Amino acid sequence: MGEQQHVKFPPEVIEEYAALGVDLPALFSAGHLGNRMGVQIVEASADKVVGTMPVEGNTQPYGLLHGGASAVLAETLGSIGSMLHGGVSKIAVGVDLNCTHHRGVRSGLVTGVATPVHRGRSTATYEIVITDEHDKRVCTARLTCMLREVTAKDAANVPDAGTSTAAGA
């Protein structure tokens, strides 16, 4: 669950990170929480991030998709877009997330699509639309991330990153 082997990244982005010794799919994966929830990243660029998540295992006591699960999917996708926008010298840190839940879902797979609303030097904002298997909107979210310079401490926490990540910034 949560393996990122089929993610589509722009070739120039893969090359930029590979030159720094960074495993791009691991860096932009769903993370520990996303992996536990079954989040799969399907496509990733600064212009559009697509991911899926199963409803099963992510429900609240009434059997509906948990709103917090939708928030995890939304923040994961928006953060990946923000990181790709910021490039190798920046790290994205979520500072504001809001979610509007439109309908309940009891089974299947939900798909989230994150697209940029604003991409600046110090912040990036993405709208994330989550739909069910019938293309009905389940949730609309907006995430704003602060973009800050990568530090040596950040680089130490990045999978497969050498010390060149902070130095190459």
Side-chain angles (χ1 to χ4, degrees):
M1 227 194 272
E3 291 179 16
Q4 305 305 316
Q5 57 202 8
H6 301 296
V7 181
K8 293 186 246 174
F9 289 101
E12 64 276 7
V13 174
I14 292 173
E15 291 171 15
E16 184 179 18
Y17 282 86
L20 298 172
V22 176
D23 177 354
L24 188 65
L27 178 62
F28 295 122
S29 72
H32 296 292
L33 177 59
N35 286 339
R36 273 184 266 154
M37 297 179 71
V39 173
Q40 294 282 319
I41 307 303
V42 176
E43 177 183 341
S45 73
D47 295 321
K48 180 179 177 184
V49 182
V50 180
T52 62
M53 181 179 67
V55 173
E56 184 179 346
N58 295 313
T59 58
Q60 39 87 311
Y62 300 113
L64 297 170
L65 177 65
H66 195 292
S70 293
V72 167
L73 178 59
E75 185 149 359
T76 299
L77 301 178
S79 293
I80 290 170
S82 296
M83 290 282 288
L84 288 169
H85 163 65
V88 296
S89 65
K90 302 275 182 130
I91 188 168
V93 180
V95 294
D96 181 61
L97 173 67
N98 69 65
C99 301
T100 301
H101 307 287
H102 305 293
R103 68 177 356 108
V105 180
R106 291 187 182 276
S107 63
L109 199 66
V110 292
T111 300
V113 178
T115 54
V117 174
H118 165 77
R119 291 185 293 188
R121 286 178 291 155
S122 60
T123 63
T125 301
Y126 280 75
E127 177 184 58
I128 304 92
V129 174
I130 300 172
T131 56
D132 65 14
E133 292 178 320
H134 305 289
D135 206 29
K136 295 196 182 247
R137 192 177 290 224
V138 173
C139 176
T140 303
R142 189 187 71 232
L143 174 71
T144 298
C145 288
M146 175 180 67
L147 302 173
R148 65 173 177 78
E149 294 297 320
V150 173
T151 66
K153 185 176 179 181
D154 297 324
N157 291 316
V158 174
D160 298 327
T163 55
S164 61
T165 300

